[in-house]
Amino acid sequence: MFNRIITKMARREFARVMRFEEGRKPEIPPGDPLPRLLYLHIPFCERLCPYCSFHRVPFQEALGHEYFFALRREILLYKEKGYEFRGLYVGGGTPTVMIDELEETLNYAEKCFQLKEISVETNPNHLTEKHLRALRRAGVNRLSVGIQSFDNGLLKAMDRYEKYGSGEAIAERLKATLGYFETLNADMIFNFPSQDLALLDRDLDILMDLGIDQITYYPLMVSDVTRRLVKQTLGKVDYGKEAKLYRQIVKRLTPTYAFSSAWCFSKKKSSSIIDEYIVDYDEYAGLGSGSIGYLKGACYANTFDIPRYIALINQGKSPLRASRDFTMKDKMRYDFLMKLFATKLDVTAFQKKYNGSLYRHLWPDILAFSIIGGLQYNAPYLHLTKNGHYFWVIMMREFFIAVNNFRDYCRDSIAS
């Protein structure tokens, strides 16, 4: 019952927050030395997966060269605005689809900013000597590989079997990649319509046998538009079994792995950086077509029209096309959500940041989650309980679904 209530309330709240303001021309605010995270979006994929709601298009080489050139110019734009970044996360799409362009872009970002950590996403077919050497030369600390599942039936249903090989072949590629980087992460998905505990356990067996550094287990998150395609290819999404599958993941992994976030598990002695870049940094700049960022209390989005993005950058103009200023309560709720997603919130630091207004604004949220057994207080931290971990998986699932719905809206706006 609590799970359904949280889902309903989170869905309504995040849908409200992700309604961007119409008729306003957003601008990049002036920067300052506060360390932030730089997110770069690469929207190209060799083929498109049916469950994915991220901004991605089929790869075109000529357009790709133009895009990476524009992306480097946008990096310079933020440098000239006075921003400083300590972390860099490259997502997609498939960021490694043009490895030479990516290496040049990473090197350029390192010249502009004093980066301490670089994380890059990739797919199993790019775990080649050429790609791995280029990423290591560029200073990548963490490589995150999109696996989703090792089950061949699921891989075929997702249209990933022909692209990336069998589950057995993917496992061998992962094994050969271990040790190249400080952290090798496997991106997995649970709660596929056809997935049961036995299938999930087989995936977990493979991961445990590999001894991979970090495992991120996302719940299946589909936008309203993607839901129809997922139903056609994979089956109807059922949230009723999600909690049982999540509990099995936690049961299997936590003897060896520790929570980095509610759905990210790292080896206890590892210094891995977290997959969810929004956890480690209070603010982040989103660069590239269709990228979403959060700066100075405002959430904003770049244009999803790739040729228009390139044209605007080449004209020296900002590619920002939508934004929303958060109220103080919105800011606090966002911070509250993200900090607790990393399993604990420093109450003293939070109170200092918001001038002692934590309980004045968020007491209903804290009280409600405490009553249903989601939070406990051990000074100076609010912690997620065992039940709270799954409650926050629900919250973040609904947050990203709202973001995905916004992406769908933006894509429809381009087509219309």
Side-chain angles (χ1 to χ4, degrees):
M1 181 182 70
F2 290 143
N3 297 347
R4 290 196 298 270
I5 292 172
I6 294 169
T7 295
K8 184 176 180 180
M9 294 180 65
R11 186 166 298 174
R12 184 179 64 237
E13 177 65 15
F14 294 138
R16 178 191 67 80
V17 172
M18 289 307 297
R19 284 197 295 269
F20 282 69
E21 297 163 2
E22 300 282 346
R24 173 188 168 187
K25 185 178 180 182
E27 297 290 342
I28 302 171
D32 56 53
L34 179 70
R36 296 176 172 88
L37 184 124
L38 176 63
Y39 173 76
L40 305 180
H41 189 74
I42 313 301
F44 304 108
C45 284
E46 286 130 332
R47 284 165 69 178
L48 308 184
C49 298
Y51 57 85
C52 181
S53 298
F54 285 92
H55 177 44
R56 76 274 190 270
V57 299
F59 173 57
Q60 302 173 47
E61 184 173 356
L63 185 64
H65 286 297
E66 292 181 43
Y67 182 84
F68 273 100
F69 180 78
L71 187 60
R72 291 190 287 272
R73 293 190 69 172
E74 192 182 9
I75 290 172
L76 179 60
L77 178 64
Y78 277 81
K79 175 67 174 177
E80 292 173 343
K81 282 279 187 177
Y83 283 92
E84 185 53 67
F85 300 102
R86 291 292 181 267
L88 171 60
Y89 190 101
V90 191
T94 307
T96 50
V97 72
M98 301 185 78
I99 192 62
D100 295 335
E101 287 281 8
L102 177 62
E103 183 179 7
E104 183 177 348
T105 302
L106 295 177
N107 289 336
Y108 184 72
E110 287 186 280
K111 290 178 182 177
C112 291
F113 309 110
Q114 298 178 28
L115 299 173
K116 293 183 177 180
E117 54 198 29
I118 301 175
S119 183
V120 173
E121 295 177 356
T122 193
N123 277 317
N125 61 322
H126 291 170
L127 297 180
T128 66
E129 191 70 19
K130 176 185 176 182
H131 284 71
L132 298 177
R133 287 185 180 276
L135 292 169
R136 192 158 59 180
R137 282 196 305 268
V140 172
N141 310 98
R142 177 182 176 278
L143 185 66
S144 183
V145 187
I147 306 300
Q148 323 319 352
S149 175
F150 295 101
D151 181 76
N152 289 331
L154 268 176
L155 291 173
K156 290 174 183 177
M158 289 185 279
D159 193 27
R160 293 177 67 88
Y161 186 90
E162 288 186 11
K163 288 186 287 186
Y164 308 130
S166 67
E168 295 80 9
I170 292 170
E172 285 301 313
R173 288 178 181 173
L174 283 173
K175 184 177 180 180
T177 307
L178 278 167
Y180 257 90
F181 305 96
E182 180 183 338
T183 302
L184 180 65
N185 175 76
D187 268 353
M188 308 294 291
I189 293 178
F190 71 98
N191 202 36
F192 284 111
S194 62
Q195 192 177 43
D196 56 18
L197 281 175
L199 194 153
L200 178 67
D201 272 326
R202 287 196 293 273
D203 279 348
L204 288 164
D205 286 342
I206 294 170
L207 291 168
M208 298 293 284
D209 288 344
L210 286 171
I212 202 157
D213 305 315
Q214 189 181 69
I215 302 165
T216 305
Y217 245 115
Y218 301 100
L220 183 63
M221 298 178 288
V222 293
S223 66
D224 294 341
V225 171
T226 309
R227 191 180 307 274
R228 293 191 287 272
L229 184 57
V230 168
K231 186 176 181 180
Q232 294 170 6
T233 56
L234 297 168
K236 185 178 179 181
V237 179
D238 175 18
Y239 293 123
K241 63 177 182 176
E242 187 184 69
K244 181 171 66 174
L245 294 172
Y246 178 74
R247 286 195 294 269
Q248 183 69 358
I249 291 167
V250 173
K251 178 183 176 181
R252 291 289 308 277
L253 293 183
T254 48
T256 305
Y257 294 82
F259 285 104
S260 290
S261 75
W263 63 40
C264 183
F265 305 83
S266 298
K267 284 193 172 179
K268 293 181 179 179
K269 294 184 179 180
S270 173
S271 58
S272 309
I273 60 176
I274 297 176
D275 188 27
E276 286 71 34
Y277 51 89
I278 49 180
V279 171
D280 270 356
Y281 294 86
D282 289 343
E283 295 185 351
Y284 59 99
L287 280 64
S289 175
S291 189
I292 296 173
Y294 180 67
L295 294 173
K296 307 290 183 75
C299 188
Y300 68 88
N302 278 352
T303 177
F304 281 62
D305 186 327
I306 295 174
R308 179 164 176 74
Y309 165 79
I310 294 170
L312 286 168
I313 291 292
N314 289 340
Q315 293 166 20
K317 297 179 181 178
S318 166
L320 270 63
R321 281 300 170 265
S323 69
R324 179 184 179 89
D325 290 325
F326 281 14
T327 65
M328 177 58 71
K329 192 170 184 178
D330 285 338
K331 294 176 190 176
M332 293 181 68
R333 276 189 165 168
Y334 176 83
D335 218 0
F336 179 76
L337 176 70
M338 298 305 168
K339 290 292 188 294
L340 277 168
F341 185 52
T343 73
K344 65 182 181 180
L345 180 151
D346 187 329
V347 172
T348 302
F350 199 97
Q351 289 280 51
K352 182 178 179 181
K353 181 176 180 179
Y354 292 104
N355 299 317
S357 57
L358 168 62
Y359 295 106
R360 185 168 77 247
H361 285 291
L362 299 185
W363 70 265
D365 309 69
I366 296 171
L367 179 62
F369 279 110
S370 298
I371 289 173
I372 64 175
L375 294 175
Q376 64 182 21
Y377 180 66
N378 294 316
Y381 294 103
L382 269 174
H383 292 263
L384 294 183
T385 63
K386 183 178 180 180
N387 288 334
H389 282 100
Y390 180 61
F391 293 158
W392 249 253
V393 166
I394 295 173
M395 299 277 282
M396 293 301 290
R397 179 236 292 159
E398 292 304 316
F399 173 77
F400 282 113
I401 286 175
V403 173
N404 289 339
N405 284 333
F406 171 72
R407 291 187 178 110
D408 288 338
Y409 168 79
C410 291
R411 279 190 286 267
D412 287 343
S413 298
I414 293 171
S416 61

